[in-house]
Amino acid sequence: MSPLVFPLLLIVTLLCKGQSEKCDVYPKDPVITMGDDIKIMFKAPYGGLCSNVGSYSPGKLSWMLNNKKIPESFYTIVNSTIAAVNIQNFTLQSGIVTCHTDVGGNDSILGGTTIKAFFLPTKPTNISCITIIYESFACSWESDGDPLLQTNYTVSRDVKGTIDTCSSDNPHCVFARDILFNCTIRVTAQNSRGSVDSDVVSFDIYSTVKVDPPRYVAVERLFNNQEMKVSWEMPSNEKSPKPFICEVKYSYPHEGVIPKHVKYIDVNEPGKKRALHIKVQRQCTSYNFSIRCATKDKWKPMWSDWSSEWDVISPLDVRSIHLCLWRKIGVPDERGNRTVQLMWKGPPTYCDAIKGYNVTLKAANNDTQAILLKPADTKTSMTVGKEAYIVRIVAYRNENIFSEATTTIPAIGEVSGFPPLGAAKAFTDNGQIHVSWNAPSSCPYSYMVDWSADGDDYRWQESQATNITVDGQPLKLYTITVTPLYGTGPGQETTLQAYAKEGVPGMISSMNVLEVSTTGARIRWSAVPRGECCGFVVNYTVFYKTQADLGLSVTVNNTVQEVWLDSLQPSMHYGVHVVASSVAGGTSSRSIFFKTLSYGPRFATMLGLFGGLGVIMLLMIALCCFIIVKKHFIKSVPNPGLSAMASWSPHGLSQRPLLMHSSESCSICVVDPSSDGTTPTPTPAEHDQQGLHDGVLNPVPDFGPSGVKCPWEPSGALLHTPGCPAPGAWERSTDAAPHSRAQGKGTPVCVYPRNYVRSENGIGCPCGERQPAPPMEGESRTLPEPQLQRVTAAPPQAYISMDMLHEGMFNRGA
């Protein structure tokens, strides 16, 4: 191998070793004692990465502690590869030191380290020792150790050259036995960083003696003397070789502070009960008592621990108790009975000043009832009648009455003669209800104000002023009553309502559309009750709209529950709802819908009027048409009951014309009961002439079917048509009684009008036909005697044809 190889290997090895060394800060994470100095170095070996930087120089490094630059006066350069910084009196528990360099104008961190410092234990001070006779000897001191390091303490006690120790990990140590001689004490504190000793302290044994706290402590209230008696008992003489002095501490609140008072008393006979009387400064006030004692000698005594605290309410002078009584009268029932709630204010229950209350109710008729109540009771309810009452309440203790109050309950319908209050009002401000009123002219001596949110739990206060401020819960309606008080009793009360804090009102319960027209509608809704949550209604706003428009609204005050919506469009659907608003907001009702009319009531009225007129005209036209049709086309059927045939008689025929004028033919047939009912057969002779029963003729002009007047015989005799029955036969036939239909038989007797007769063979004989020639002068014509008709048991029945009745042949008025 060439001799040059070894130097080359050595150079390469050194170069590689130099490149393997790091540029860093040393020492790494040191731990020092608080307040010590420390040097931190940065090492940059040859060939290291940081040393190859062209701008690197140990003299250009800078140092920072917790991101704060360390002054350059503390910088040092150890050699060409090491730069250092000196940190003096390091008092931080932890600090980060970093090394920086400037590369191309940019600050770069080359390395860093963390320094931690710990405290040595502080020197123990304020050493005190306590001797519990026949039990123990304990010492305490003050010392601060590092919270990150465990500190241990050692107490050395030197009693006449004999040293014993006590170890503890806190600033208190107890020796297992007591001593009765003087001693010296020294305390050593030590942790992992070191140790420190306290000063040596000398103790007189009697100045360290601490007795047990007092026992059997008790406090008694003396109501008659307005005092409190505090008593206790000290330990026995075995543990207390010397007399004691005791300290009684008591306190009570007064004007926002709690002052403390101390009284001392000597106890020369340990083991016996001792007492101390304390005058009460504050009546019915919570007092706090505590007692401690110490041996009485020439050295500063060592006080015992305080006894347990005793809390008691100071006695109340019952002569200063002032009762206040009030009542709330309910609505009478159907019998006139009323429920009265009595309320009163007396001494606080915790004062224990009284044993109870006696309530007496006396009626106008001197009936009396009494109730005994407990000291904690502040109200009761009683049922009274219609009459007036006097209520009296007294506070008693040991059968002695200390205070009393009275009030009256008026009879039903009774009205106070005093005037009411004037201008009473209530308003809310900052969650409180302020009530004010004007005093009446009758000058009451005070006013009673009561208020309640539910009508049961009342709060009340008597006031001499004409205003009062009431605290109330938000969103609750309070009913407030102000009543003037006079020497003879309460006056007329005045009631107000108010909210301590208002909210939105309740919802409208019902809403209806009462009336709808073509361009308007009437909307009515129910008012929101004042007691519904949670505010007074200021106004109502009615919102209405169609589906197409944006909607309109109408606002009215809180006393109006009806509104007429006008300017609506005919035959249009509308939706409407009502919003009840208070000072805090509004509550909307449900929506209802309606449709306006297509035509108004005037149109309907005119339509009905013209329609009625049209109906009347149609009825009139129909009636006229009916009359015309009846007259010209329909033959009327007369009432047979109105026929004149019912009154025919042989004598009647002689007085009225037998035949009526007629242009139509008619026939009257009389049925012979003896015939078979098939063919009517006239009884007179075939060629008999017509004539009256007595032969007297009543000539009546007649007309034939053709309208030609039928001529009469000059002698006045009726014309006779051969084959027609004679009139005489007609008259005789009318005398027969009607034949019963049950027989089914009868002989027809034909009665014909003058101008139209019927022959035996059924052939009619109209007027003008077959007229005989008029008789010659001097010639007389006689009628043959008619044959007698056969009389049967059943008379013939007459039949009248309708055409005869229609033409009015038998006219009663003829």
Side-chain angles (χ1 to χ4, degrees), residues 129-131 182 202-210 295 297 299-303:
C129 295
I130 298 174
T131 299
N182 297 340
S202 299
F203 289 96
D204 184 275
I205 189 59
Y206 290 104
S207 65
T208 65
V209 174
K210 182 179 180 180
T295 56
D297 51 33
W299 297 279
K300 182 179 181 181
M302 176 67 66
W303 290 104

Side-chain angles (χ1 to χ4, degrees), residues 129-192:
C129 295
I130 298 174
T131 299
I132 305 299
I133 299 178
Y134 303 120
E135 289 186 6
S136 62
F137 181 84
C139 294
S140 300
W141 57 91
E142 294 179 1
S143 177
D144 293 330
D146 193 304
L148 301 178
L149 299 176
Q150 177 65 39
T151 302
N152 296 318
Y153 300 95
T154 301
V155 181
S156 299
R157 180 177 62 173
D158 186 356
V159 180
K160 296 183 177 181
T162 302
I163 299 175
D164 56 350
T165 60
C166 174
S167 299
S168 173
D169 57 0
N170 59 77
H172 180 77
C173 194
V174 179
F175 290 89
R177 63 183 182 87
D178 65 342
I179 57 173
L180 296 178
F181 303 98
N182 297 340
C183 64
T184 59
I185 299 296
R186 183 180 62 186
V187 179
T188 301
Q190 184 177 6
N191 61 15
S192 59

